[in-house]
Amino acid sequence: MSGALTQGLERVPAQVGYLVISDGAVLASSGELQNDEVSAGLLSSLVSAAAGLRLQRGTEPPFKRLSVVFGDHSLLVTVSGQKLFVVKRQNHVQEPLTV
Amino acid sequence: MGCCYSSEGEASEQEEETKRLLEPDPSPPNKALNGAEQSYHNLPSARTDEQAMLSSILAKTAINIIDVSAADSQGMEQHEYMDRARQYSTRLAMLSSSLTHWKKAPALPSLTNQPHQVLASDPVPFADLQQVSRIAAYAFSALSQIRVDAKEELVV
C-alpha cells in the first residue's frame, strides 16, 4: 500500500525525507523524517489550523500547499484524500533573510 | 530573591507542623530549642521517628490498596455472566452514541488530488519570502508603536 503513496514522494527534487499521515497516524516515513511522530503531530495541527482559513466566506481553503521554511531546508505539506503528505526539501543556497 | 524571612516565632511554628507530620503519636514538642539543636538532641529517637513514619505509610497503603487475589469471590453461573455482559454492552452502547457527537474531529479538506506534483513543484520564491517577512516586520513595528496619548483630564 505504501508503495503507491511514497513512490512520487521519493522522486521530489532535493527531498531528504517524507511522511504520509492519516488520522494523526504515520502511514509511511523516510529519510530525515523517519519515524518522526512528533513532527507529524505538529504538522497535522498546523494544517488543521490553516485549513480553517478562508479569504471569503464559503470558498475553498486558499492554498494548495503549506511551506514551513527554515534556514537550509523546508517542510512542504499538502492534503489529498484525507491524508497528509509531508516532504522535507533542501533549500537552494540563498542569502539569509534579513529584514 | 524577593523572599521575606521573618522572626524566629514563625520558624518554630513551622517546626511544630513538621513534627506533627512525622509523629502521629502524641508527644510534647520541644518548644525551647530551634531546629538545628532539636534534631541533634533527638538523635536517639530518630530511628523511632522513621519507624513511625514507615508504619503510617504502610497503614495508609493497606487501607487504599485492594488485594484482588485475597478477595473472596463468589462463583457466578454461566447465565449470570452472560446477563451481566449483555447489561454492560447495552450500557456502553447508550453512552457511546452520545459520545460520537464530539469524537470526530472536523475532516481535513482535500487541497489537491495530485499531492506528489504539488510537493515537487517549485518552492516559494525567495523574493516572496523576503516580502512577507518585511511586511510582517512592518506590522510588528506598527503595533509596538500603538500608545495612549493623554490629552485632557478624564474626570473634570
Side-chain angles (χ1 to χ4, degrees):
Chain A
M1 170 193 157
S2 56
L5 290 172
T6 61
Q7 212 175 22
L9 293 175
E10 292 275 7
R11 288 199 292 252
V12 168
Q15 70 93 1
V16 291
Y18 59 79
L19 282 166
V20 182
I21 305 160
S22 175
D23 269 339
V26 175
L27 291 182
S29 65
S30 158
E32 293 182 24
L33 292 176
Q34 180 112 55
N35 299 322
D36 193 347
E37 293 184 4
V38 175
S39 295
L42 290 169
L43 290 167
S44 298
S45 304
L46 201 58
V47 171
S48 292
L53 289 174
R54 295 289 184 276
L55 292 179
Q56 295 162 332
R57 280 182 75 89
T59 54
E60 304 279 302
F63 66 100
K64 280 203 164 52
R65 179 181 75 184
L66 190 143
S67 305
V68 186
V69 181
F70 295 98
D72 63 346
H73 67 273
S74 300
L75 293 166
L76 277 54
V77 191
T78 190
V79 182
S80 181
Q82 295 301 307
K83 283 193 262 291
L84 237 79
F85 293 82
V86 181
V87 80
K88 181 171 178 177
R89 290 175 70 175
Q90 299 279 29
N91 296 341
H92 291 311
V93 176
Q94 301 277 13
E95 294 293 309
L97 282 170
T98 50
V99 188
Chain B
M1 285 183 236
C3 221
C4 289
Y5 190 83
S6 62
S7 62
E8 280 173 21
E10 212 166 72
S12 60
E13 266 172 42
Q14 286 172 359
E15 267 164 42
E16 284 187 33
E17 280 180 13
T18 333
K19 280 220 66 147
R20 247 176 273 133
L21 281 172
L22 289 174
E23 287 180 346
D25 313 319
S27 62
N30 290 349
K31 282 187 196 172
L33 310 164
N34 66 21
E37 291 175 54
Q38 198 167 24
S39 56
Y40 178 75
H41 283 278
N42 285 352
L43 200 53
S45 65
R47 181 147 290 207
T48 51
D49 281 352
E50 203 181 286
Q51 282 182 349
M53 209 161 66
L54 287 170
S55 54
S56 74
I57 292 174
L58 180 62
K60 260 185 249 165
T61 313
I63 289 169
N64 290 332
I65 289 187
I66 302 169
D67 187 357
V68 181
S69 54
D72 189 17
S73 67
Q74 46 181 177
M76 280 211 304
E77 313 262 306
Q78 177 70 5
H79 70 270
E80 282 183 33
Y81 273 123
M82 300 296 280
D83 282 345
R84 219 177 265 201
R86 207 180 314 125
Q87 202 180 38
Y88 290 158
S89 58
T90 41
R91 261 192 226 173
L92 261 176
M94 273 169 31
L95 285 172
S96 59
S97 64
S98 57
L99 282 176
T100 46
H101 182 67
W102 290 282
K103 246 193 217 171
K104 285 192 76 173
L108 281 177
S110 195
L111 300 174
T112 174
N113 46 22
Q114 290 175 313
H116 305 135
Q117 190 181 345
V118 162
L119 292 177
S121 50
D122 292 338
V124 180
F126 187 70
D128 287 3
L129 290 172
Q130 277 188 312
Q131 185 179 38
V132 169
S133 298
R134 214 173 282 135
I135 292 170
Y138 284 142
F140 177 78
S141 164
L143 281 171
S144 64
Q145 286 174 44
I146 293 176
R147 66 174 71 85
V148 175
D149 203 8
K151 291 266 190 217
E152 299 174 345
E153 300 256 337
L154 202 58
V155 179
V156 180

